């Protein structure tokens, strides 16, 4: 059971451990990503049923291009399958009130993925029960640089002055503009780092770690994270 009065509004999830899960079973790493994508679907549905308003899943980082070509290619195929399936399940997703967003530099993605992602964002843009951010070719530092460049251009054009650069203004230049910062960040698989995920937005996030590998992550694990979160005392620098 989860205390619905103390739910985080925004949960970020680093879907880690897919490779190790596959290795443990003598399977290719890519099988771990496929199972991980199923867990992504299930946890999205469950979190939405609980009433969580924003979810951000780290699906592919700016650094993940360094992986073997075949692994990258399978992850891209998983994106494709997800995007086609989202079209097929349009009515179901509408009923769930899912709004899909892709955060990251999508310009580097294959044309069909870019196009399908743009369509999915547009088709779901009037939904608001749960916003699902898929971080794809995402890096927190590159997001900060991108925002900085955009702000520098506005200053250079004389459209704003340096005094206009506040924290809120800076946040509005990020991919997550108009969304609350993540209250809770979940990282399974026994790793204790942020790995360039939501670098700016995580300044006051609560962290929850677990040894469970992402493909084994269940609704019960999600409940545990939420229950721990409900007992945290968040002071945002105050006493
Ligand atoms: C990290 O585990 C996982 C990834 C780099 C890829 C995650 C992508 C998916 C689960 C597909 C998501 C799809 C959609 C549509 C959102 P790892 O490979 O680093 O695991 P390891 O540390 O055990 O090697």
């Amino acid at each position: 059971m989860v205390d619905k009065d103390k739910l985080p509004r925004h949960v970020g999830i680093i879907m880690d451990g897919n490779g190790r899960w596959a290795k443990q079973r003598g399977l290719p790493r890519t099988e771990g990503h496929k199972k991980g994508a199923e867990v992504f679907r299930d946890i999205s549905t469950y979190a939405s049923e609980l009433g969580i308003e924003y979810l951000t899943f780290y699906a592919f980082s700016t650094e993940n291009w360094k992986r073997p070509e075949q692994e990258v290619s399978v992850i891209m195929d998983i994106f494709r399958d997800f995007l086609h399936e989202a079209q097929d399940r349009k009515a179901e997703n509408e009923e769930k009130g899912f709004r899909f967003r892709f955060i990251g530099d999508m310009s580097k993605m294959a044309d069909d993925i870019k196009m399908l992602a743009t369509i999915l964002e547009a088709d779901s843009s009037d939904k608001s029960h749960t916003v699902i951010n898929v971080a794809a070719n995402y890096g927190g530092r590159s997001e900060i640089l991108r925002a900085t460049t955009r702000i520098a251009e506005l200053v250079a054009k004389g459209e704003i002055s340096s005094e206009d650069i506040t924290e809120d203004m800076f946040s509005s230049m990020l991919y997550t503009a108009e969304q609350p910062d993540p209250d809770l960040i979940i990282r399974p698989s026994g790793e204790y780092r942020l790995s360039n995920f939501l670098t700016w937005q995580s300044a006051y996030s609560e962290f929850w770690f677990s040894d469970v590998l992402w493909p084994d992550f269940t609704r019960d694990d999600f409940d545990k994270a939420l229950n721990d979160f409900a007992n945290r005392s968040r002071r945002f620098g105050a006493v």
Side-chain angles (χ1 to χ4, degrees):
M1 280 300 290
V2 170
D3 183 348
K4 297 234 175 151
D5 292 332
K6 290 184 180 163
L7 281 180
R9 289 190 72 198
H10 185 171
V11 180
I13 301 182
I14 301 176
M15 301 186 286
D16 196 15
N18 299 344
R20 277 164 284 166
W21 180 90
K23 196 171 173 211
Q24 282 175 358
R25 286 162 180 75
L27 298 168
R29 293 174 53 79
T30 46
E31 289 305 308
H33 297 316
K34 287 180 194 163
K35 182 73 170 68
E38 283 173 30
V39 177
F40 152 76
R41 288 176 178 85
D42 187 56
I43 295 296
S44 298
T45 300
Y46 181 55
S48 178
E49 283 167 9
L50 289 174
I52 291 174
E53 295 167 78
Y54 298 87
L55 294 164
T56 302
F57 290 91
Y58 206 4
F60 195 82
S61 75
T62 45
E63 289 72 37
N64 286 153
W65 297 106
K66 293 182 212 152
R67 293 185 175 217
E69 215 177 297
Q70 193 262 350
E71 182 172 340
V72 171
S73 156
V74 170
I75 295 176
M76 294 302 150
D77 283 341
I78 293 174
F79 286 154
R80 281 188 183 89
D81 286 349
F82 161 71
L83 289 161
H84 285 295
E85 183 197 274
Q87 280 190 335
D88 296 343
R89 295 194 179 176
K90 199 162 169 251
E92 194 186 312
N93 286 335
E94 275 177 9
E95 205 175 310
K96 288 177 178 167
F98 284 167
R99 177 174 188 178
F100 291 100
R101 307 290 304 267
F102 290 83
I103 65 168
D105 182 3
M106 293 296 284
S107 71
K108 302 280 188 307
M109 295 286 177
D111 286 344
D112 64 320
I113 293 183
K114 266 191 297 213
M115 189 188 70
L116 288 164
T118 306
I119 293 172
L120 180 58
E121 285 189 331
D123 279 355
S124 65
S125 63
D126 59 338
K127 298 290 169 296
S128 60
H129 181 69
T130 301
V131 174
I132 299 177
N133 298 310
V134 176
N137 194 24
Y138 174 87
R141 287 186 176 182
S142 87
E143 180 184 36
I144 290 169
L145 275 184
R146 174 178 170 271
T148 307
T149 307
R150 290 173 73 194
I151 293 168
E153 282 166 2
L154 291 175
V155 174
K157 280 195 259 170
E159 291 180 21
I160 60 166
S161 73
S162 56
E163 289 86 60
D164 296 323
I165 309 170
T166 61
E167 290 191 10
D168 284 345
M169 188 267 189
F170 198 89
S171 295
S172 76
M173 293 290 173
L174 301 173
Y175 294 119
T176 50
E178 293 172 19
Q179 300 188 18
D181 286 338
D183 304 291
L184 172 65
I185 293 183
I186 294 176
R187 181 163 195 159
S189 96
E191 310 283 359
Y192 301 89
R193 53 179 177 267
L194 201 49
S195 300
N196 211 7
F197 182 56
L198 301 177
T199 310
W200 169 277
Q201 299 90 330
S202 62
Y204 282 100
S205 301
E206 296 292 326
F207 289 86
W208 192 82
F209 299 102
S210 154
D211 286 339
V212 173
L213 304 175
W214 176 249
D216 285 328
F217 195 89
T218 62
R219 293 178 176 211
D220 277 349
D221 294 313
F222 195 65
D223 282 354
K224 279 185 208 152
L226 295 181
N227 286 328
D228 274 3
F229 173 82
N231 290 317
R232 303 264 177 104
S233 155
R234 302 184 78 198
R235 292 184 293 279
F236 299 96
V239 286

